[in-house]
Structures are given as structure tokens and as C-alpha cells.
Amino acid sequence: MNPKVLIVLPCRLGSTRLPEKHLIELSNGKTIFEMTYEACLKTKADKIIIATDAQSIVERTKQFTNDVELTSDKHKTGSDRVAEVSERYPEYDIVLNIQWDEPLVDPHTINEIIDGIISSDENTVMCTAKTTFKDIQEVLKPHNVKVVTDKNGLALYFSRSVIPFDRTANIEEHSLKIDDYRKHLWLYAYKRDFLLEYVKMPQTFAEKMESLEQLRILENWYKIKLIETNFDSIWIDTKEDLEKLELILQNNEI
């Protein structure tokens, strides 16, 4: 029997850099999370649910689907919100956490991480994705998370710092070799049973230092598999991101 797959889009109300971005109407008449939802419909997932802490998001979501659930407003992370919804659906084996504000997310990449977690061994509890950087300036930015994997594609470490450190290069003069670095993409496929245990685990040292949830998994001796992709999405977090998305829409690039 094929594993059943659930995608949850955790959509919270708070947004400091782009206030109420969940209600912004794009030039195509859709919201950011509606575009993300539609992209997820093109994957092999059996069900997609938008999970939110705000009634205004529920009401806007119901203009295009009834697959929306109101969750606690006490959650600290998107993973907590995804886990709350997952508890209600024990019939699903795999649960994906897809960021709601990535409207250009690639369905093929989502399918690849679904296949990756399904084919993994019992100690591999999550599958995610990595891609190449476009330029060295992007490598240097702390909000772009870097990942180092072993020769089998399993994560060794994630960091906001430049890893691996090249002691022969001059970072200030940007003499780094761009092909040596991989960017982590915020797409997560979990084994459902592990996800429900994971959100109960105490935060770990490196996780708190880097503010990266996935380090909790590595620090508890579980494995994370990464697939390599050419896809690199736009995370809509600022006015500049929104303008870039609108330009893509207006030029019919999607």
C-alpha cells in the first residue's frame, strides 16, 4: 500500500516586515497563499490543508477551498502548527510543511522530497531540499541557510554562517568558490509519527544558537535527507519581494 501524503501550509497572521501580507491581492486576483496552495495541488499529495491562527485567513481561504483549519494562536513555530493538524489525521503517513508565502514553489521538487522520505531508512525522519547559490553575495547573507551533506545526501549541519569554511579563501574579498556551497530550501517532508514526537522535544543548543529548527533533529541523532534541485523560490517577506513577484506575474513568466 502506498503511503498517504498530507501537505499543511501553516499560515500565521503576524508579519512585521510586510504587514497583513496574507490579505494582499496580487495582480492576478489571488493571494500569496492561494498561489502556494494551487502549486501544491499539482503534486502527488493526497490532501492539502491551510492551517492558520486567524479567522480572517479562514474567511479568505474559503473563497477558493474548504480545506482550512483554525489552530491555536500559541504556537511558536510552523512545525507546531503543522503537528496540531497532523494529529487530527492519523490515516496519513507522510506530512509536509510547505511555507505558505512561497507562491512559486515547484511541484516537481515537492514530489522529489515526498519520494525521498518514502524511500528512506527508518532513522531518516525528514527529507528536504538544497540548491546552488546564484552569487557569492547570497552565500554571505545569514538569512540564507547553508547546508553541508555527506556523500549519501544526508545532512551534516545547517548554518546561517558560511559553511564549509574555506581557510584558503578571503571571505571579505569574496574569493569563495560558489560551487562549494548549497542553500537549504524551506520544504519539509516528515514521517508523521516522528513529527508528533519532534515537536515535544526540548529545544537544543545549536537550534537555539542558529534559530534553525532542523538542528534539533540532528542533535537528537536522527537523519535528514536532502535532494538536490535547480529550483530556488521567492519567499515573500518584504515589499521588494512582493514587487519582484508582481514583475514575474506581469511578464507571464509562470
Side-chain angles (χ1 to χ4, degrees):
M1 183 181 296
N2 292 328
K4 294 193 68 177
V5 179
L6 169 67
I7 291 178
V8 181
L9 308 181
C11 186
R12 68 184 183 90
L13 182 61
S15 177
T16 55
R17 284 184 280 190
L18 190 60
E20 296 192 340
K21 64 180 178 179
H22 62 286
L23 294 179
I24 295 173
E25 292 282 348
L26 302 170
S27 57
N28 61 5
K30 299 175 182 178
T31 58
I32 296 166
F33 65 91
E34 182 175 357
M35 286 187 64
T36 309
Y37 176 85
E38 289 180 348
C40 291
L41 287 176
K42 299 175 184 177
T43 71
K44 59 177 65 177
D46 299 287
K47 189 176 183 65
I48 300 99
I49 296 174
I50 292 173
T52 182
D53 59 355
Q55 188 60 39
S56 59
I57 297 176
V58 172
E59 292 170 1
R60 181 60 182 83
T61 299
K62 287 189 174 181
Q63 293 183 27
F64 59 90
T65 180
N66 287 321
D67 287 324
V68 57
E69 298 197 10
L70 195 62
T71 60
S72 170
D73 61 0
K74 306 299 182 184
H75 292 313
K76 295 181 179 179
T77 70
S79 297
D80 294 327
R81 199 175 310 284
V82 171
E84 179 187 334
V85 172
S86 301
E87 269 196 298
R88 304 169 191 166
Y89 294 89
E91 67 271 29
Y92 290 91
D93 308 285
I94 305 298
V95 178
L96 277 75
N97 176 354
I98 305 296
Q99 306 304 303
W100 71 271
D101 47 8
E102 292 199 33
L104 303 183
V105 66
D106 178 37
H108 177 70
T109 300
I110 292 175
N111 284 340
E112 285 190 303
I113 67 171
I114 291 172
D115 291 339
I117 193 66
I118 289 174
S119 63
S120 62
D121 64 36
E122 63 179 11
N123 287 323
T124 302
V125 294
M126 188 180 90
C127 185
T128 181
K130 60 181 179 177
T131 192
T132 54
F133 281 95
K134 301 300 185 290
D135 58 62
I136 288 299
Q137 289 290 347
E138 290 299 302
V139 177
L140 298 173
K141 293 178 181 177
H143 70 262
N144 286 328
V145 176
K146 277 65 71 174
V147 61
V148 174
T149 56
D150 67 14
K151 62 182 180 181
N152 295 315
L154 297 175
L156 294 174
Y157 195 68
F158 298 84
S159 183
R160 298 184 184 278
S161 297
V162 178
I163 58 169
F165 177 77
D166 184 355
R167 69 188 185 95
T168 68
N170 187 324
I171 293 179
E172 292 182 358
E173 294 180 1
H174 305 166
S175 58
L176 304 172
K177 299 175 184 176
I178 194 168
D179 289 342
D180 292 337
Y181 300 92
R182 291 296 180 271
K183 177 182 179 181
H184 176 228
L185 301 179
W186 301 88
L187 310 170
Y188 302 101
Y190 295 95
K191 291 176 180 175
R192 176 185 174 275
D193 290 346
F194 172 78
L195 173 62
L196 298 183
E197 291 301 317
Y198 160 71
V199 295
K200 299 174 186 175
M201 295 176 183
Q203 282 191 304
T204 50
F205 173 75
E207 173 193 6
K208 288 187 284 188
M209 289 289 287
E210 298 259 17
S211 189
L212 295 174
E213 288 182 78
Q214 60 269 39
L215 291 175
R216 191 188 318 171
I217 297 174
L218 298 183
E219 289 181 272
N220 279 285
W221 291 95
Y222 291 98
K223 295 189 289 186
I224 300 174
K225 183 175 181 178
L226 284 101
I227 60 100
E228 182 105 18
T229 178
N230 292 323
F231 162 71
D232 189 6
S233 185
I234 300 175
W235 179 28
I236 309 302
D237 193 45
T238 65
K239 182 179 178 181
E240 290 72 26
D241 296 332
L242 187 63
E243 290 170 350
K244 186 175 180 180
L245 174 61
E246 284 289 10
L247 188 61
I248 292 172
L249 293 175
Q250 291 163 19
N251 290 335
N252 294 315
E253 294 178 21
I254 59 172

